[in-house]
C-alpha cells in the first residue's frame, strides 16, 4: 500500500484548434506550480509520477525538484480523451462535464469506465514502484471519475493543488472496476 498525493495540474491557456493535451501553461500557472512545490511535504516523496500532458509535466517538475527526483511519466495518467471538442463557453463545458460525470456518453469522449480502469491501472503501477509516498500529477476529469466526485467537487479542484491524499490500492476498488 502506498500513500498517493493526487495533484491536479496548473492553469493553462485554452487554445481553440489545439488539442487540450497541448494547451500551454500560463505564466500565472507556472508561478502557481512553483508555489505548490514549496510545501515541505514533497521532500519526503519517493516518486513523482505525471501524465505526459504538458500541463501536468510542468506542474510535476518543480515538485520533483523539491523531492530531488526525476519525474516519471506514465501515459495512463492522462486526462479523459475528448477528441474534436472545441473550446466552449464555460457554462456549456460545465454542462457537458456534469452529464459526463453522471454517465452520459459523448461522441469522441473516452468512455467513463475505460478511463477509470486505465487510471486505476496506472495508480497500481505507481504504488508498486514507489518506496514511500508518491505524488501523482494528473487531471480533473479522470480524478473526478476515480474518486466519484460531484460536479461541485470537480469545479472546486485547485489549479494546481492536492485534490486528495489516498492509500492505494484502495480496498475494494479493483473489484468495482474489474
Amino acid at each position: 500500500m502506498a500513500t498517493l498525493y493526487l495533484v491536479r495540474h496548473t492553469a493553462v491557456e485554452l487554445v481553440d484548434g489545439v488539442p487540450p493535451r497541448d494547451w500551454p501553461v500560463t505564466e500565472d500557472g507556472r508561478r502557481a506550480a512553483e508555489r505548490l512545490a514549496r510545501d515541505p511535504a514533497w521532500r519526503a516523496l519517493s516518486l513523482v509520477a505525471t501524465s505526459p500532458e504538458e500541463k501536468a509535466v510542468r506542474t510535476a517538475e518543480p515538485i520533483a525538484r523539491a523531492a530531488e527526483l526525476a519525474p516519471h511519466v506514465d501515459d495512463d495518467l492522462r486526462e479523459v480523451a475528448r477528441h474534436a471538442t472545441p473550446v466552449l463557453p464555460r457554462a456549456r463545458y460545465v454542462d457537458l462535464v456534469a452529464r459526463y460525470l453522471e454517465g452520459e456518453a459523448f461522441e469522441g469522449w473516452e468512455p467513463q469506465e475505460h478511463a477509470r480502469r486505465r487510471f486505476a491501472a496506472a495508480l497500481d503501477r505507481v504504488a508498486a514502484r514507489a518506496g514511500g509516498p508518491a505524488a501523482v500529477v494528473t487531471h480533473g476529469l479522470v480524478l473526478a471519475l476515480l474518486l466519484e466526485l460531484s460536479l461541485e467537487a470537480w469545479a472546486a479542484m485547485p489549479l494546481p493543488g492536492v485534490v486528495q491524499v489516498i492509500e492505494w490500492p484502495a480496498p475494494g476498488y479493483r473489484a468495482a472496476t474489474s
Side-chain angles (χ1 to χ4, degrees):
M1 184 137 341
T3 300
L4 304 181
Y5 292 80
L6 302 179
V7 179
R8 187 180 188 195
H9 65 78
T10 199
V12 297
E13 178 185 347
L14 290 84
V15 182
D16 209 9
V18 173
R21 70 179 293 127
D22 296 328
W23 287 342
V25 170
T26 64
E27 186 58 30
D28 286 344
R30 186 195 61 73
R31 284 192 297 271
E34 292 290 341
R35 279 191 304 276
L36 178 65
R38 291 184 197 135
D39 187 324
W42 301 131
R43 291 193 292 263
L45 295 177
S46 64
L47 178 68
V48 177
T50 182
S51 156
E53 295 187 33
E54 184 74 10
K55 53 195 164 241
V57 171
R58 295 294 166 242
T59 306
E61 287 172 337
I63 294 170
R65 277 195 307 275
E68 299 180 351
L69 298 167
H72 169 74
V73 176
D74 188 317
D75 189 57
D76 286 340
L77 294 174
R78 70 189 179 278
E79 178 62 291
V80 170
R82 300 176 315 277
H83 304 294
T85 301
V87 174
L88 300 169
R90 178 79 177 155
R92 187 155 171 233
Y93 181 69
V94 168
D95 176 62
L96 284 177
V97 168
R99 292 165 43 204
Y100 181 78
L101 292 177
E102 290 170 359
E104 188 173 335
F106 294 111
E107 180 71 31
W109 286 44
E110 184 176 12
Q112 293 89 338
E113 194 54 35
H114 181 269
R116 257 189 223 101
R117 280 193 214 129
R118 166 182 56 79
F119 192 69
L123 293 182
D124 285 345
R125 290 190 298 276
V126 168
R129 184 181 180 119
V136 178
V137 184
T138 188
H139 309 274
L141 276 177
V142 76
L143 282 170
L145 288 174
L146 179 88
L147 300 171
E148 299 178 349
L149 299 179
S150 67
L151 177 67
E152 294 75 20
W154 167 81
M157 284 183 196
L159 279 169
V162 176
V163 173
Q164 198 166 333
V165 180
I166 63 171
E167 295 299 318
W168 193 266
Y173 192 81
R174 292 172 202 246
T177 61
S178 298

